[in-house]
Every structure is written in C-alpha cells, then in structure tokens.
Amino acid sequence: MEPTDTAPLPMAFRRIGWSNLSAQFSEQIALAAAPLAAVLLLSAGPAETGWLQTAQTLPFLLLSIPAGLMVDRASRRRLMVGTEALRALSLLAIPLLLALGSLNLTWLAMLGALGAIGTVCYSVAAPAFVPSVVPRARLADANRWLELARSVAYAGGPALGGALVGWIGVSTAYGLAAALSILAVLLLAGLPKDEPPSGQRRHLLHDLGEGARFAVGHDLLRPILLTAVFFNISWFVFQAVYVAYAVQNLGLSATQVGVTLGIYGAGMIVGAALAPAIARRVSFGTLILLGPFAGLCAAGVMLATLWFPSIQLVGASFFLFGVGPIIWTISTMTLRQAVTPNAMLGRVSALIMTATFGARPLGAAIGASVAAHFGIAACLGLATAGFLVQLLVIAFSQVPRLRDLSEIA
C-alpha cells in the first residue's frame, strides 16, 4: 500500500464523512431495533425474524443496479439527499403506527424495506462521488475514514438501539434514528452541486451491460465479486436467526444482544484504525485476503457456542467479523476506484453492491427456511461452510499476488 498523507481531506469530503456517520448510525439503530421489536412486542420466532431480515434487505437486490444507472446519469448529490429523506420518513412512521396500536410484522417489514432504499442509493452514489472531490493519491485515506465512520456506527448503533428498546422502548429508538437521518440530509444538501455526467446517452441496457462486462471480465474485480456473494449469503444465513438464537437459546437480554452487535462495530473500528499499519507490513493482496480469513475464523467461533454457550464467545466472534471484513471493504473499494473509469463507477459499484448486499435477502431467506425445517444449529453449520467457500474463492485468484496500489494502476 502507498503511505498515507497527513494533510486534511477536502471540506466536501468531510461533509460526506459526517453525513455517512449520521446515516450509518441511523441505519444501525433501526436494524437493531427491528428484530428486537419483532421478538419482544410481536412474539416473532427465528423464521419470522428471518423473513423480516429478507424484506429489509430486498431493496439491495432489486434496486442496486437501477441506482447505479441513475448515479451515472443524474446528480449524485440530489439522489443521496432525496433517498435519505425517504429513509427519515419511513423511520418516523414506525413510532406513529406503534402509538396508534397498528404496528405489525408486515408494516415493520415494509417500512424497513422503504428505509433501505436510502442505504442502497447512498452506498452506490458515495463511492462514485468521492473520486470527484478527493485526489487519487488520497483515495485509500478517504475510504478508510468513511469505513471508520461506519465502524463507529456499527459499534454504537446496535448497542444504543438495544439499550433504548430494553430501557425506554421501541419508539425512542426509532425517533433517534429518524433524527440522525434528517441530520444526514442536511449535511448532504450542503455538498457542492454536481451535474449529470456529460456525453451521449445510450440505452440503459447497453450501459448496464458495459458495466457488467467490465466487472465480470476483470481478473481482479471478478473474484472480489464472487467472494462478496458467498460472504454475504453466509453472513445473513447467520444474521437471520441470530437475535432469536441469542434471546431464546443463549438467554441474552435485549441490552446484551445490542452489546454483542456493538462488539461487531468495535471490531470494525479496530480494523479500520489498524489498516494503515497493517498495510505497511503486508502486500496489498494479503491485506485483501485478511477479511475472508477472519470471516471463517469468526464463523467457527460462533459455531462453537452450540456446545459452549457463552456471551464471551459470541463477542469474540462478532469482533472477528468486524476486524477482518472492514479491512477487506477499505482495500477492495480502493482497488475498485483505482481500476474503474469514473464514468463507469456507478454501474460497477452497483454491480458490486448487488453482489455484496443483494445476496443478503437470499441469505436471510435461506436462513429462515433452514431454521424452520432443520433448526438453528443447521443454520450455523451452513453459514460456516459458506465462509470456507468465500475464503477459497479469493485465495486461489490473482488478488493475493498484488504487491501495492501502484501495481494496480
């Protein structure tokens, strides 16, 4: 990896960074509150929470590619502002329905899916916006700060969401999430205006095919795409049943569930903070490989809780899930920005997003189905097998041979 620069990043990027922190905190509080509300208020079991996860992640599968096409054709700033405002409205609707006595699993799932549209569009537009305000030599630094902000949200959001649900109630958790989403809207609205990319407008299917051919045909992007698919399917096979498993099998309270999810975020913070030091000691390819390896180790530790139920083991598993994959995210985002033409970043990011997040509803659906027919132990075993596959995919590709970012260029 190239050495990092200590000079301040541009003001426009700092606005993106703070809005990212607010939006991610909002999302994580809501994601922690939703399954807890389902289990504690609506008497949902593992299968129901699995289908709830499926609904809340379905927009990543259905809308990532359309969002990528919009990012390459429209104002990225307006897209992020509009869809983040949509998320804020969906969050405000939940405490309103709860106050009216009308909240049920269907409403919880539908509003969660509506709010996820904001996450989809932000996640596709931001990586495409960043290279326009940050010099190429500072991309790794910029991505690290974005992921560090996300890590802080992953650490504090679930713990805060779980604590609020356990101590005060669901409405307070969703009210805070909505306020943070509104703050993100205000920060994004202050970004410099950007114009849609110039040039001849071609057919949508042509543009989509061009981005897909580039990503699938690239010797470095293709294994990253496949690894992301297997990682996220496996992660959400596990995530689909975790809250029910923790409450009903491990005997954890809502607050303890939030703390364990917060440990995942703490691992992300540690991983993001250590990334530059690790990058100076290992090759760029090895840095990328660390994430899938840590994912397999984490899955093995979680599997062990079937025989040795312990909140300490659960915490260790989530910590490993945070440390490795955040290093993967920073390094692979930098690689993607380095090898992809700017005019194609939205489409390529959308394709990666579809693989990374679009696999989530598939994993959640598999988790819900397996839990309903074979039990939670089968889910944990299946997830561990999937994490083994994702490590093998990246390990036997050309990616681990990369020495540094200059070689990519």
Side-chain angles (χ1 to χ4, degrees):
M1 292 278 294
E2 296 174 337
T4 57
D5 191 341
T6 58
L9 287 160
M11 177 59 72
F13 171 78
R14 280 180 271 170
R15 273 192 169 270
I16 295 175
W18 283 110
S19 71
N20 180 54
L21 178 63
S22 297
Q24 294 284 355
F25 242 111
S26 170
E27 180 192 29
Q28 290 308 308
I29 291 173
L31 286 177
L36 287 171
V39 171
L40 299 176
L41 298 182
L42 305 174
S43 302
E48 288 82 6
T49 58
W51 291 118
L52 177 62
Q53 287 277 12
T54 302
Q56 291 186 132
T57 53
L58 195 58
F60 292 97
L61 178 62
L62 299 180
L63 300 178
S64 292
I65 288 177
L69 291 170
M70 291 176 64
V71 163
D72 285 341
R73 287 169 168 258
S75 165
R76 294 160 181 176
R77 168 182 165 274
R78 286 199 296 269
L79 181 64
M80 289 191 286
V81 169
T83 53
E84 188 62 34
L86 180 65
R87 194 217 314 260
L89 290 174
S90 72
L91 293 169
L92 288 170
I94 291 176
L96 177 61
L97 286 170
L98 191 59
L100 295 173
S102 302
L103 185 66
N104 54 38
L105 280 172
T106 300
W107 274 116
L108 199 59
M110 289 175 59
L111 290 168
L114 189 65
I117 295 173
T119 306
V120 172
C121 292
Y122 192 108
S123 300
V124 173
F129 199 100
V130 167
S132 67
V133 296
V134 175
R136 177 189 174 91
R138 302 298 308 279
L139 284 178
D141 285 338
N143 291 330
R144 184 171 72 89
W145 283 113
L146 284 179
E147 293 307 318
L148 187 58
R150 186 163 75 101
S151 302
V152 170
Y154 270 68
L160 184 57
L164 288 173
V165 170
W167 299 342
I168 306 175
V170 171
S171 294
T172 305
Y174 276 103
L176 178 58
L180 288 167
S181 187
I182 292 169
L183 176 59
V185 170
L186 296 175
L187 288 164
L188 290 169
L191 287 173
K193 293 183 179 180
D194 63 319
E195 297 300 326
S198 59
Q200 183 180 0
R201 292 294 178 89
R202 294 172 294 189
H203 195 277
L204 285 173
L205 290 179
H206 179 280
D207 283 355
L208 178 59
E210 184 181 45
R213 285 191 299 272
F214 180 84
V216 174
H218 200 286
D219 289 340
L220 300 177
L221 295 181
R222 183 176 57 254
I224 287 173
L225 191 65
L226 290 173
T227 301
V229 169
F230 283 106
F231 181 96
N232 282 277
I233 288 176
S234 305
W235 174 239
F236 268 76
V237 166
F238 161 66
Q239 282 284 83
V241 300
Y242 170 66
V243 171
Y245 174 60
V247 172
Q248 297 171 2
N249 295 70
L250 300 179
L252 303 187
S253 66
T255 301
Q256 288 174 317
V257 170
V259 168
T260 59
L261 294 173
I263 290 173
Y264 170 61
M268 294 175 71
I269 293 174
V270 171
L274 291 179
I278 296 173
R280 288 192 291 269
R281 289 167 174 78
V282 302
S283 69
F284 189 75
T286 301
L287 189 71
I288 291 176
L289 191 63
L290 289 177
F293 177 73
L296 177 60
C297 293
V301 172
M302 186 62 71
L303 188 65
T305 63
L306 290 171
W307 299 279
F308 307 101
S310 162
I311 191 172
Q312 288 80 14
L313 280 180
V314 172
S317 175
F318 273 111
F319 185 79
L320 288 172
F321 271 130
V323 169
I326 197 66
I327 295 175
W328 158 273
T329 301
I330 294 168
S331 54
T332 56
M333 187 184 297
T334 302
L335 185 152
R336 184 167 80 242
Q337 291 167 333
V339 302
T340 307
N342 186 265
M344 205 183 292
L345 263 174
R347 283 164 284 166
V348 172
S349 294
L351 187 63
I352 300 290
M353 180 70 65
T354 301
T356 303
F357 292 102
R360 294 181 174 189
L362 176 59
I366 292 171
S369 180
V370 170
H373 292 91
F374 304 103
I376 288 178
C379 282
L380 297 184
L382 181 61
T384 303
F387 281 112
L388 174 60
V389 172
Q390 56 92 38
L391 175 60
L392 294 176
V393 168
I394 198 71
F396 287 99
S397 73
Q398 294 185 22
V399 173
R401 304 175 193 171
L402 292 171
R403 292 189 301 272
D404 55 41
L405 193 58
S406 62
E407 182 179 335
I408 295 173

